[in-house]
């Protein structure tokens, strides 16, 4: 089966550490990570990735999820298979802090969060039940392994939102 067509936009807003985050997100790798998370019924995907500072991350999470803190990844999905359209917003300071706490390379943590966000865009939800959370984590682990990356939940009790 041919890979789905992917229209991808990657933007990093201006903030002091932006070059570090830009370097962790080479476009070809972002495309690879996103493609790996697409379900077989997705024929094409339009994904915008935006990396933001803590202020914008908190504002978006507060305004759209009524949670007044910056979170690692927010997913805004607009359509599902066969055409998937979504915006993924990653909060750089949160991602960097988590990567450091987990002792993982920044790019590896971004890969996991992009996979996580793309699964959310396709209807996966870890907040509905423990069974759904376990299924989503298992799928993320499977995708990460296919990418040659370690289990994001190994040695960690932290689930991502």
């Amino acid at each position: 089966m041919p890979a789905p067509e992917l229209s991808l936009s990657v933007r990093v807003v201006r903030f002091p550490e932006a070059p570090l985050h830009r370097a962790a997100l080479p476009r070809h790798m972002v495309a690879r990570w996103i493609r790996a998370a697409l379900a077989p019924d997705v024929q094409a995907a339009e994904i915008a990735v935006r990396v933001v500072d803590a202020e914008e991350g908190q504002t978006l999470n507060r305004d759209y999820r009524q949670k007044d803190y910056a979170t690692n990844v927010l997913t805004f999905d607009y359509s599902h298979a066969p055409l998937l359209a979504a915006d993924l917003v990653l909060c750089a300071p949160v991602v960097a802090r988590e990567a450091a706490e987990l002792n993982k390379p920044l790019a590896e943590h971004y890969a996991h969060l992009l996979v996580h966000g793309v699964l959310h865009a396709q209807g996966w939800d870890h907040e509905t039940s423990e069974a759904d959370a376990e299924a989503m984590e298992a799928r993320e682990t499977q995708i990460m392994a296919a990418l040659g990356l370690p289990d994001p939940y190994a040695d960690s009790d932290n689930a991502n939102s």
Side-chain angles (χ1 to χ4, degrees), residues 1-4 38-43:
M1 172 184 286
L38 295 174
D41 62 342
V42 174
Q43 296 171 6

Side-chain angles (χ1 to χ4, degrees), residues 26-94:
R27 184 180 171 77
H28 71 284
M29 293 305 295
V30 171
R32 181 172 181 258
W33 300 331
I34 287 172
R35 282 184 197 282
L38 295 174
D41 62 342
V42 174
Q43 296 171 6
E46 295 177 1
I47 308 284
V49 175
R50 182 172 167 86
V51 180
V52 302
D53 61 14
E55 182 179 352
E56 185 174 346
Q58 182 173 353
T59 298
L60 290 168
N61 201 30
R62 182 188 62 234
D63 292 354
Y64 290 95
R65 294 180 67 226
Q66 292 69 55
K67 296 183 179 188
D68 196 15
Y69 58 88
T71 190
N72 50 21
V73 61
L74 291 167
T75 301
F76 300 91
D77 59 318
Y78 309 111
S79 68
H80 298 109
L83 171 62
L84 179 69
D87 292 338
L88 305 177
V89 179
L90 297 122
C91 183
V94 175

Side-chain angles (χ1 to χ4, degrees), residues 68-141:
D68 196 15
Y69 58 88
T71 190
N72 50 21
V73 61
L74 291 167
T75 301
F76 300 91
D77 59 318
Y78 309 111
S79 68
H80 298 109
L83 171 62
L84 179 69
D87 292 338
L88 305 177
V89 179
L90 297 122
C91 183
V94 175
V95 176
R97 184 190 75 236
E98 289 176 349
E101 289 170 356
L102 296 168
N103 197 30
K104 294 183 178 185
L106 185 59
E108 181 182 305
H109 196 45
Y110 269 120
H112 173 222
L113 293 174
L114 286 167
V115 165
H116 186 87
V118 170
L119 290 179
H120 272 307
Q122 296 173 99
W124 292 78
D125 191 346
H126 54 84
E127 295 181 348
T128 50
S129 71
E130 186 64 31
D132 288 346
E134 289 174 7
M136 187 169 178
E137 286 181 15
R139 183 66 184 126
E140 290 172 45
T141 298

